[in-house]
Amino acid sequence: MVNMELYKTVRREAEATQIIEKSKFIAYVKPAESKEEADAFIASIRKKHRDATHNVPAMVIGDKFQIQWASDDGEPQGTSGAPIVQMLVNEGITNVAIVVTRYFGGIKLGTGGLVRAYTSSAKLGLDAAGVCSVGEVCSMYVKVDYTYLSKMQNMAAAELGGFGAGGDVNAGAESVKLERSNVRKAAANDANAKHHSKSNVSLDANANADGKANGNISANGNARSNTAPAFLIKDLQYTDKVGFELLTLPEHEESIIALLANVTSGSAEVSGRKIVLEKL
């Protein structure tokens, strides 16, 4: 698979707890795409645990780690918040806010012990939140006849990140929850691709990825492989046909178009192609 990763982040909000020398450490983790969002999350945890001994916050924001901030919240300087930020940057994780809440258990941990306690707690929180890659994904709006929907759903992948040109087409599910990040760019139809010469185009069932006639395309749209490139479907809309957003890696776009043509006997309609940022 072509590496489309731009940076890493967390998939969801989560928490994790551990006890170290009778002190209780609770790590709270949340995706955050702005300092304001991170600040609001940190404030909510501080309010929730206003009786805690410490609420140590940390954040890294921006695709280039532009914002890096932390506080030790009363712990010895450099033993809690700063090591969490350093760990995030070293592991390439951004757009995340973390608060590690501590209820003191009566045993002092020392400088090294505090660093290990706070970073290990943050890592437990990250594991619970699910670290994932963020990359550019091709999004297109597709309309198909109802008779083809179940087949498309069965072929859809559970995720894009683990698949290359020969992904597991049976890894799909009827609905895929996939969180949208900010749109990187809302590209117009690709003037250089025949499949995108119009805003709404019916597909030729005999067209391959290069737009050439090919009567030997298999059901996966790729004559050289027994499996199809991965794609996701989401946001189903039911009208005279079934409309949905289809997401795939940019390098698989034309193969997916050929697949749609083959599966739907050329009746699928594709429009609104753009490149977005998605959690993979």
Side-chain angles (χ1 to χ4, degrees):
M1 183 186 109
V2 177
N3 184 9
M4 302 302 294
E5 179 180 295
L6 299 178
Y7 53 85
K8 295 177 183 177
T9 189
V10 292
R11 193 171 295 280
R12 65 188 71 85
E13 185 173 348
E15 65 180 79
T17 301
Q18 66 173 339
I19 306 296
I20 301 175
E21 296 291 352
K22 298 184 179 181
S23 283
K24 184 177 183 180
F25 291 85
I26 312 169
Y28 294 91
V29 179
K30 181 180 174 61
E33 296 184 7
S34 68
K35 186 178 185 301
E36 292 74 18
E37 187 178 355
D39 285 339
F41 171 67
I42 291 167
S44 70
I45 301 302
R46 283 175 164 164
K47 182 178 180 180
K48 179 178 180 178
H49 291 286
R50 58 168 58 93
D51 61 334
T53 313
H54 306 281
N55 286 296
V56 172
M59 71 173 76
V60 177
I61 307 292
D63 58 351
K64 304 297 183 183
F65 313 97
Q66 293 94 325
I67 298 174
Q68 301 176 29
W69 178 85
S71 168
D72 293 309
D73 194 42
E75 294 283 24
Q77 185 175 0
T79 61
S80 51
I84 294 174
V85 168
Q86 184 178 9
M87 179 265 293
L88 291 171
V89 173
N90 288 344
E91 297 191 10
I93 301 171
T94 187
N95 286 356
V96 62
I98 297 177
V99 180
V100 178
T101 296
R102 181 189 184 188
Y103 286 91
F104 183 57
I107 299 175
K108 293 184 178 181
L109 302 180
T111 301
L114 285 171
V115 172
R116 290 188 293 273
Y118 278 99
T119 55
S120 65
S121 296
K123 287 181 180 179
L124 287 175
L126 290 171
D127 289 342
V131 176
C132 63
S133 299
V134 173
E136 290 188 343
V137 172
C138 177
S139 166
M140 60 186 84
Y141 186 72
V142 178
K143 291 181 72 174
V144 299
D145 292 331
Y146 282 81
T147 54
Y148 301 116
L149 176 61
S150 61
K151 187 169 185 178
M152 295 301 302
Q153 289 174 327
N154 289 336
M155 297 180 72
E159 62 180 28
L160 293 179
F163 296 87
D168 180 2
V169 299
N170 295 315
E174 180 172 337
S175 63
V176 178
K177 292 183 179 180
L178 191 146
E179 301 172 64
R180 169 65 55 84
S181 291
N182 292 333
V183 172
R184 175 82 169 196
K185 52 183 177 180
N189 294 328
D190 186 357
N192 296 321
K194 293 182 179 180
H195 295 298
H196 301 288
S197 60
K198 298 179 181 179
S199 61
N200 193 321
V201 55
S202 294
L203 301 178
D204 180 356
N206 295 316
N208 63 15
D210 297 318
K212 298 177 182 178
N214 186 343
N216 298 319
I217 292 180
S218 62
N220 56 49
N222 186 338
R224 295 175 298 174
S225 174
N226 293 325
T227 54
F231 64 91
L232 306 180
I233 59 176
K234 57 182 290 190
D235 298 338
L236 294 176
Q237 299 178 10
Y238 299 95
T239 56
D240 57 323
K241 294 185 176 182
V242 183
F244 54 84
E245 184 180 14
L246 185 149
L247 301 167
T248 190
L249 297 180
E251 66 267 27
H252 298 158
E253 177 185 356
E254 293 194 354
S255 294
I256 292 297
I257 289 176
L259 169 66
L260 286 167
N262 187 270
V263 169
T264 67
S265 300
S267 63
E269 300 174 358
V270 178
S271 61
R273 184 261 188 195
K274 60 186 177 183
I275 298 297
V276 299
L277 290 187
E278 292 285 353
K279 294 178 180 179
L280 303 178

